[in-house]
Amino acid sequence: MHTLVDRGPPGPLSSVYIHIPFCRDRCTYCAFATIADDTALHQRVVRALISELQRHEFSGTWKTIYLGGGTPGLLSAAHLDHLLDGIRASASPRTPEELTLEANPANITREALTSWAAMGVTRLSLGVQTFDDRALRSLARLHSAETARRALELIAEFWPGTWSADLLLGWEGQSQAQLASDLTELARFEPPHISAYPLELEQGSLLFSRLQNTFKITSKHTETHISDTLFRKHLEPAGLVRYEVSNFANSGHESRHNQAYWANSEYLGLGPGACSSRAGLRWGNLRDTQAWLAAVESGRSARARAERISPPQRLLESLAIGLRTAEGLSRAELERRFGAAWLPVLECAAEAPLDELGLQLTETRLIAPGEHRLRIDAILSHIARNWPDHEVEPA
Amino acid sequence: MKQEHIRNFSIIAHIDHGKSTLADRFLQVTNTVGERDARAQLLDNMDLERERGITIKAKAASMDYVRDGVTYRLNLIDTPGHVDFNYEVERAMQACEGALLLVDASQGVEAQTVHNTVLAEQADLHLIPVINKIDLASARPDEVVEEIENALAIEGERAVLASAKTGIGVEEILNRIVDEIPAPRGDKDAPLRALIYDAEFNDYRGVIMHVRIVDGELSAGDRVRLMADGTRHEALEIGVFRPHLTPVKRLGTGEVGYLIANIKTLNEVRVGDTICLEKDREVKPLPGYRPARAMVYCGIFPVQNGDFDDLRTALTRLQLNDSAFSFMPESSDALGFGFRCGFLGLLHMEIVQERLERESGVDVVQTAPNVTYELLDNEGATKLIRSPSELPDPTHIAELREPIVKLNVVAPDEFVGAIMKLTIERRGRFLKQEYIGPGRVLVGFRVPLAEIIFDFFDKLKSATRGYATMDYELEGYAADALVKMRILVNGEEVDALSSIAHKDHCEPRGRAILKVLRKEIRRHLFKVALQAAVGGKIVAREDIAPVRKDVTSKCYGGDISRKRKLLEKQKAGKKRMKMVGNVEIPQKAFLAVLGTREKT
Ligand SMILES: Nc1nc2c(ncn2[C@@H]2O[C@H](COP(=O)(O)OP(=O)(O)OP(=O)(O)O)[C@@H](O)[C@H]2O)c(=O)[nH]1
Ligand SMILES: C[S@@+](CC[C@H](N)C(=O)[O-])C[C@H]1O[C@@H](n2cnc3c(N)ncnc32)[C@H](O)[C@@H]1O
Ligand code: SF4
Ligand SMILES: [Mg+2]
């Protein structure tokens, strides 16, 4: 028997996610904590986000700040400025290495870009999803393909920082040809970064209840992903590297914020439904915006549920997210965090030599090389079936 | 109650002809059940019976019926109509002197009507024919009278025209019962002899024995002896079914009721046993029952090996209440320790399995059912084979015999061609064809049980637009070219998946089984090869390709717990799987052999 420990994250807390719950409309597949946009609430939400942060008594450096949603682009420049000032006030130095703002193509104007840049946003993440107008309409996206093209042109021309485009894969009826054409078209705008996730059927989304009612839920709704062939043909020529299964970047344009997640580091999440991971705990906030507001404004905790992650659980997570990255995990870091037992525990759960499963152990790293990385969930499912329950008893 | 005022009768009929509904009317007319407690098919009180709308267990009820100032005690036993539960019917009959034979006025005489009539005559019961459901627009009582005469040799004019739904004819039936069914014959002055015709287990009260007093009488507080094992007990409570348990001080000769004697060990009570008073030394036991003959067997294994003892207890308990069900320990390489269980048919098997899950909460894996075979070995000895895995190497087999049944099918004559074709395909031999009424025939065959027990009835129904009914009776064993087909998963034999089949059917059957397995077994990280083999020869093969790409799920957004929980679910899933080498086989796959017959 081997004893796993969790000696804590690779570094101090330095990433914060801020959830802006407003959306103009609800996309059919989305189950994030959002509400219909209500400008009367903007100010209250901004204030509450700042006081929620103050409750956490953070002092340190924010290396990455991520303004997500919902639609942060719906906040006025003044509110955004106020919010960012409040966040940065807690930290020193006050400028993060990366400050991302998620935006909808419908909110991109030359003025917006200029003001975001002026308030310190270094990275834009644009929800393009697809250039197929019929799909955009059926997914209830707010924008058309044309709007997305215009937004991309504006960004190419006026955005000083780096940026990323989100693509959605595997919406109903999407053919391989349509996927290829989305990639070709997007590549023309030379995005420094692309995130391409397959559509997940989420409980609580309109799509889910619709399909549930018609008994049409099938695996095909989540089958699609970007094959190696598609990647080589459409993205590699643009200099994009597949640095994670679903993420592609030009060298130096990787998402630092996401990389912190993937290293199973600590992060703080502010706002309705946001998740945090800190001091051995992981928790989620109240998802309902009014409930979250009420809690924060009355000085109560906005946590809805928290769990303590045991060392075996933490190791399973680290593998599940770390093995999706091209560089995999560092053996030294695994050993530091989990103790020497991490490898015997993994080998024991694997029930077969690691390389037979598609994992590779080099001098310094544990990786899922090449094609194996594209079936990493199957590999992990296999391992998870034999994973030790909680604390492994000492011999 | 005076013996001469007691009438014991059962209600028998083909499935759905209205037995339980007629029992409702009796309970109502005799004021046994008040308005408030009345509900349709009141005696069908098991959840499963209510859900399926059929009677599974025979059930007794005592009613008082007053005529001309005399109170008669009518004890009725409502019986199930499905062929699988014939044994229940036979046992009920032994507690009765008469029977109401119901025939649906629109469906007419059906296969099970014929069979039940024969059983009732063998049991020497006085039969009162009742043509039920005459309220239906489609009722054709005149033709049905003719069918009763032709097929059952019962005088048609004796039939009561009735509707259990509207109540027409119910009083007449009650009067006929009083007038025609003989009072019980037993000797009230002889020492007590009571037949245990059924039993059930109650968590608080222990075993509740259902008894018929054949001779003498039984009083509360008597010291009694169960004759088979000689165990002694006190009659703590005796009573009658009204229809819920109602205590009485005394059960006289000919009466039907229950006995509670604080018996907590399940195997102390045997259905068919005789109860006498402890003090009586020289009592001769009643003949009891012939043991039920299992028609099909399947393996039932606990999913968790640790549940073996719980499973044994649960099976024992079920057996007490269902003496047609039998079991014995068995072990399988693939499934570990479990039990080989015998049933009267597939519906019986399904019911037992469902009761097992509901009443015990043990998760079980069930293997595909098979009939019993008789093996003649080279030394000339015969042996009963209850599971394909018991079969020795072919070189030790001189002859393999399978059960043969006499099959009767009743249907409109336009379908005779279709019925012939279907049955001949199943290795059936035509025996006879008789007209039982205008345009309605009874066709008889001799056919291997294995060919008709699984999906034959469904096929028959669809070949006859739902009109045909069938019934069968075991005739004996006969040899044929039967072989064992093994299933290999990545080269490893999975004993629980082997089956016995006619040699000409192996290839298509093997292919069909593998197709189903292929669907049930998930993709693994490596290739999984499935093979069907007869002797050393592979007759079918399917491969399950390894996972090449997968869904990269629950990865957008920062909720890593979600992703982990998804993986942790896999672990819970695995607990419900059986491992063969490093291949996970879901429980459902073990039934694959069953679902595949129709495609062969
Ligand atoms: N119209 C009409 N329907 C009836 C009559 N008697 C019974 N039924 C209906 O026939 C169906 C079967 O009735 P049951 O009383 O359950 O039949 P059963 O013979 O006890 O059936 P099993 O116990 O499963 O063999 C039910 O839907 C009854 O409502 C009747 O006299 N007239
Ligand atoms: C929640 S959105 C917020 C940003 C912005 N509102 C937008 O829609 O682009 C962030 C990303 O998550 C993706 N997303 C939301 N629900 C999803 C789902 N069910 N499956 C896959 N991706 C999803 C969206 O497509 C979007 O690219
Ligand atoms: S996907 Fe984005 S825009 Fe659509 S509802 Fe979700 S958060 Fe709002
Ligand atoms: Mg019934």
Side-chain angles (χ1 to χ4, degrees):
Chain A
M1 278 296 153
H2 313 281
T3 315
L4 280 179
V5 292
D6 181 1
R7 298 205 183 91
L13 171 67
S14 57
S15 295
V16 61
Y17 171 82
I18 300 150
H19 190 75
I20 310 296
F22 306 107
C23 281
R24 283 257 161 81
D25 201 355
R26 181 82 157 159
C27 304
T28 58
Y29 53 89
C30 181
F32 277 85
T34 64
I35 53 167
D37 188 23
D38 179 356
T39 42
L41 275 181
H42 288 190
Q43 170 119 30
R44 266 178 78 194
V45 166
V46 165
R47 289 208 176 121
L49 285 166
I50 294 168
S51 42
E52 190 186 6
L53 175 61
Q54 283 160 355
R55 249 186 88 89
H56 288 296
E57 298 184 346
F58 172 78
S59 62
T61 307
W62 291 127
K63 287 196 182 139
T64 70
I65 298 178
Y66 201 101
L67 282 169
T71 322
L74 287 175
L75 294 188
S76 68
H79 282 142
L80 270 179
D81 217 15
H82 178 188
L83 174 62
L84 287 173
D85 271 349
I87 304 296
R88 283 184 292 224
S90 63
S92 68
R94 294 179 49 116
T95 16
E97 292 170 17
E98 180 185 281
L99 200 173
T100 305
L101 179 125
E102 270 181 352
N104 188 295
N107 310 129
I108 302 290
T109 58
R110 195 176 159 177
E111 296 68 45
L113 293 177
T114 317
S115 75
W116 292 336
M119 60 185 83
V121 175
T122 66
R123 184 173 179 275
L124 275 188
S125 168
L126 190 71
V128 174
Q129 318 308 0
T130 174
F131 292 100
D132 185 302
D133 271 321
R134 273 186 48 201
L136 288 170
R137 269 196 306 276
S138 98
L139 296 168
R141 291 291 299 179
L142 269 176
H143 59 90
S144 64
E146 202 38 51
T147 314
R149 288 187 196 105
R150 226 175 308 120
L152 287 162
E153 276 158 14
L154 285 172
I155 289 171
E157 198 171 344
F158 298 109
W159 181 249
T162 186
W163 60 281
S164 172
D166 281 356
L167 281 185
L168 191 66
L169 313 175
W171 31 268
E172 196 173 358
Q174 187 187 36
S175 65
Q176 281 298 304
Q178 281 167 314
L179 174 53
S181 102
D182 275 349
L183 293 178
T184 324
E185 172 136 29
L186 184 56
R188 282 203 296 114
F189 297 97
E190 298 180 357
H193 187 284
I194 296 174
S195 290
Y197 286 101
L199 189 154
E200 289 273 352
L201 261 182
E202 295 290 353
Q203 221 157 349
S205 65
L206 290 168
L207 192 59
F208 186 91
S209 39
R210 196 186 298 156
L211 293 175
Q212 201 180 34
N213 289 337
T214 54
F215 301 102
K216 265 177 51 189
I217 295 184
T218 61
S219 55
K220 86 174 193 297
H221 292 284
T222 56
E223 249 345 285
T224 320
H225 76 160
I226 295 182
S227 67
D228 202 45
T229 321
L230 274 182
F231 164 69
R232 281 180 206 286
K233 182 143 174 238
H234 299 283
L235 303 182
E236 204 172 40
L240 291 161
V241 175
R242 190 171 204 163
Y243 73 113
E244 198 260 4
V245 172
S246 302
N247 287 275
F248 308 82
N250 291 146
S251 165
H253 292 261
E254 297 84 1
S255 162
R256 310 273 311 262
H257 186 81
N258 283 333
Q259 282 177 323
Y261 289 157
W262 301 337
N264 217 345
S265 308
E266 297 197 326
Y267 53 91
L268 215 51
L270 308 175
C275 286
S276 304
S277 193
R278 197 182 183 190
L281 293 180
R282 182 164 303 113
W283 69 87
N285 277 354
L286 294 165
R287 284 178 55 87
D288 182 84
T289 300
Q290 290 298 342
W292 170 83
L293 269 175
V296 177
E297 287 174 349
S298 63
R300 281 178 287 124
S301 159
R303 265 186 212 179
R305 61 202 147 82
E307 59 172 344
R308 182 162 293 283
I309 316 289
S310 73
Q313 287 179 317
R314 182 76 73 179
L315 174 56
L316 184 64
E317 287 176 358
S318 292
L319 296 171
I321 43 184
L323 284 170
R324 290 171 54 90
T325 63
E327 57 171 11
L329 295 103
S330 144
R331 291 180 65 167
E333 170 57 18
L334 282 165
E335 186 132 352
R336 178 204 66 77
R337 183 163 190 175
F338 299 104
W342 74 270
L343 186 55
V345 165
L346 172 62
E347 283 172 330
C348 179
E351 282 183 329
L354 293 184
D355 53 355
E356 259 176 48
L357 293 191
L359 298 182
Q360 194 184 337
L361 206 54
T362 69
E363 281 286 287
T364 57
R365 306 199 75 84
L366 173 70
I367 54 176
E371 292 265 294
H372 292 299
R373 201 154 58 244
L374 298 184
R375 55 165 202 167
I376 191 64
D377 272 3
I379 298 176
L380 276 157
S381 297
H382 175 88
I383 292 170
R385 281 156 183 264
N386 301 311
W387 203 248
D389 264 330
H390 283 290
E391 310 289 342
V392 179
E393 297 302 328
Chain B
M1 181 65 52
K2 282 211 180 112
Q3 193 169 338
E4 67 208 68
H5 294 150
I6 298 173
R7 300 290 182 272
N8 296 321
F9 66 98
S10 36
I11 312 180
I12 58 176
H14 191 85
I15 193 159
D16 261 1
H17 282 198
K19 297 175 289 295
S20 304
T21 308
L22 183 60
D24 289 346
R25 288 297 83 69
F26 290 161
L27 295 170
Q28 186 187 22
V29 168
T30 58
N31 291 317
T32 310
V33 175
E35 283 300 302
R36 210 166 41 93
D37 298 324
R39 56 174 180 171
Q41 286 98 32
L42 180 105
L43 294 180
D44 290 344
N45 55 8
M46 286 164 51
D47 286 350
L48 262 175
E49 292 180 317
R50 300 206 72 79
E51 277 164 31
R52 292 178 177 236
I54 58 167
T55 304
I56 294 167
K57 285 289 301 171
K59 252 152 290 171
S62 295
M63 311 170 286
D64 291 332
Y65 180 56
V66 185
R67 205 184 64 178
D68 307 330
V70 181
T71 303
Y72 292 88
R73 167 68 51 82
L74 308 186
N75 294 314
L76 79 78
I77 303 184
D78 179 26
T79 67
H82 193 279
V83 52
D84 277 15
F85 307 120
N86 274 342
Y87 185 70
E88 285 277 314
V89 183
E90 276 181 63
R91 277 189 298 126
M93 285 178 174
Q94 288 199 36
C96 299
E97 282 73 39
L100 302 181
L101 176 69
L102 261 59
V103 184
D104 184 309
S106 111
Q107 306 290 317
V109 168
E110 305 200 73
Q112 192 66 16
T113 320
V114 178
H115 191 120
N116 277 331
T117 308
V118 174
L119 289 179
E121 281 163 359
Q122 281 168 0
D124 213 10
L125 298 191
H126 178 87
L127 274 179
I128 301 176
V130 175
I131 298 182
N132 186 34
K133 306 198 190 180
I134 57 158
D135 60 292
L136 288 176
S138 55
R140 42 183 191 92
D142 297 342
E143 283 169 41
V144 175
V145 164
E146 211 176 307
E147 291 178 15
I148 289 181
E149 296 194 332
N150 292 343
L152 312 176
I154 294 174
E155 294 153 59
E157 72 238 28
R158 290 186 45 224
V160 186
L161 297 188
S163 166
K165 188 172 172 188
T166 65
I168 305 171
V170 171
E171 285 279 351
E172 185 186 346
I173 299 172
L174 289 170
N175 284 321
R176 293 273 300 272
I177 290 170
V178 169
D179 293 336
E180 293 182 17
I181 295 183
R185 281 174 283 263
D187 181 352
K188 72 176 174 28
D189 300 318
L192 169 72
R193 290 202 297 171
L195 173 71
I196 307 180
Y197 72 88
D198 204 351
E200 63 191 297
F201 189 82
N202 180 292
D203 277 327
Y204 305 104
R205 324 208 52 189
V207 178
I208 302 174
M209 290 168 269
H210 298 202
V211 297
R212 151 84 195 245
I213 311 292
V214 176
D215 293 319
E217 60 173 51
L218 174 64
S219 301
D222 280 351
R223 302 279 316 166
V224 297
R225 183 153 52 91
L226 303 190
M227 295 188 71
D229 291 336
T231 55
R232 286 135 217 274
H233 309 275
E234 184 189 338
L236 288 182
E237 180 182 319
I238 59 177
V240 294
F241 305 100
R242 283 196 168 267
H244 51 270
L245 307 185
T246 309
V248 296
K249 290 218 168 61
R250 204 182 71 97
L251 283 174
T253 310
E255 289 200 74
V256 173
Y258 68 90
L259 161 63
I260 295 173
N262 198 22
I263 300 178
K264 304 279 184 195
T265 35
L266 295 164
N267 35 28
E268 247 179 286
V269 175
R270 296 190 197 168
V271 170
D273 195 6
T274 305
I275 300 172
C276 65
L277 293 181
E278 188 180 342
K279 63 176 168 56
D280 294 332
R281 294 275 123 221
E282 302 292 303
V283 182
K284 201 168 145 240
L286 297 161
Y289 298 126
R290 65 166 179 88
R293 186 166 209 163
M295 294 282 198
V296 273
Y297 280 87
C298 81
I300 294 188
F301 293 82
V303 173
Q304 309 290 317
N305 288 336
D307 285 347
F308 180 79
D309 284 327
D310 288 348
L311 181 57
R312 187 208 306 274
T313 310
L315 291 173
T316 312
R317 205 167 164 154
L318 262 181
Q319 193 186 29
L320 178 69
N321 189 232
D322 181 357
S323 47
F325 158 66
S326 60
F327 64 95
M328 64 202 88
E330 145 171 69
S331 77
S332 148
D333 296 339
L335 301 176
F337 291 101
F339 298 92
R340 182 115 293 241
C341 302
F343 309 91
L344 298 176
L346 280 203
L347 179 63
H348 187 212
M349 175 178 97
E350 225 179 90
I351 300 279
V352 167
Q353 199 217 338
E354 253 188 84
R355 287 186 67 184
L356 195 62
E357 278 181 5
R358 282 184 200 203
E359 293 167 25
S360 77
V362 179
D363 276 334
V364 298
V365 186
Q366 188 194 331
T367 66
N370 58 266
V371 301
T372 45
Y373 294 87
E374 217 175 67
L375 170 89
L376 179 70
D377 67 17
N378 291 331
E379 276 83 59
T382 53
K383 187 183 164 212
L384 209 58
I385 301 291
R386 295 187 185 86
S387 154
S389 59
E390 290 173 26
L391 266 194
D393 196 79
T395 56
H396 296 287
I397 302 178
E399 205 170 85
L400 192 54
R401 302 172 186 145
E402 62 183 331
I404 304 293
V405 295
K406 267 198 178 141
L407 169 74
N408 280 339
V409 178
V410 173
D413 56 3
E414 64 195 277
F415 297 115
V416 169
I419 296 169
M420 291 278 188
K421 178 166 177 289
L422 178 64
T423 316
I424 307 285
E425 273 170 16
R426 301 291 180 109
R427 296 188 283 138
R429 296 251 163 76
F430 172 75
L431 290 181
K432 63 172 180 189
Q433 174 175 346
E434 291 163 6
Y435 269 85
I436 63 166
R440 302 233 312 151
V441 289
L442 182 153
V443 200
F445 298 92
R446 177 174 290 131
V447 64
L449 176 63
E451 296 287 349
I452 60 154
I453 207 160
F454 302 110
D455 62 334
F456 181 78
F457 189 48
D458 290 342
K459 290 278 157 320
L460 183 66
K461 282 266 176 198
S462 57
T464 60
R465 295 212 311 271
Y467 280 112
T469 59
M470 67 175 244
D471 184 67
Y472 56 82
E473 205 179 359
L474 191 64
E475 188 185 68
Y477 282 77
D480 206 337
L482 302 170
V483 292
K484 172 171 161 184
M485 181 161 65
R486 298 172 301 134
I487 302 293
L488 312 176
V489 173
N490 274 355
E492 235 179 280
E493 178 174 346
V494 185
D495 55 359
L497 286 174
S498 13
S499 57
I500 294 174
H502 190 271
K503 119 180 146 354
D504 296 343
H505 294 175
C506 281
E507 201 186 306
R509 181 102 185 267
R511 248 185 284 125
I513 292 175
L514 297 190
K515 280 234 167 61
V516 175
L517 285 179
R518 203 183 125 156
K519 259 201 253 141
E520 295 293 341
I521 300 175
R522 66 171 181 89
R523 285 181 173 216
H524 283 61
L525 287 176
F526 37 82
K527 186 173 88 180
V528 176
L530 306 172
Q531 294 166 305
V534 172
K537 189 172 152 227
I538 303 296
V539 295
R541 175 178 179 128
E542 289 273 344
D543 286 342
I544 303 175
V547 181
R548 262 187 225 98
K549 58 163 196 179
D550 58 19
V551 192
T552 51
S553 50
K554 309 288 185 222
C555 278
Y556 64 97
D559 192 350
I560 297 167
S561 288
R562 217 159 75 115
K563 171 101 185 145
R564 189 197 71 240
K565 282 174 187 154
L566 212 66
L567 288 171
E568 286 173 343
K569 267 204 198 138
Q570 306 278 334
K571 193 166 149 178
K574 180 173 176 175
K575 292 212 176 107
R576 298 185 63 94
M577 301 277 185
K578 286 288 178 183
M579 299 296 294
V580 170
N582 45 11
V583 180
E584 280 172 14
I585 306 191
Q587 291 165 49
K588 252 167 79 195
F590 289 97
L591 272 171
V593 194
L594 174 63
T596 51
R597 294 218 97 225
E598 59 212 65
K599 284 148 224 144
T600 63

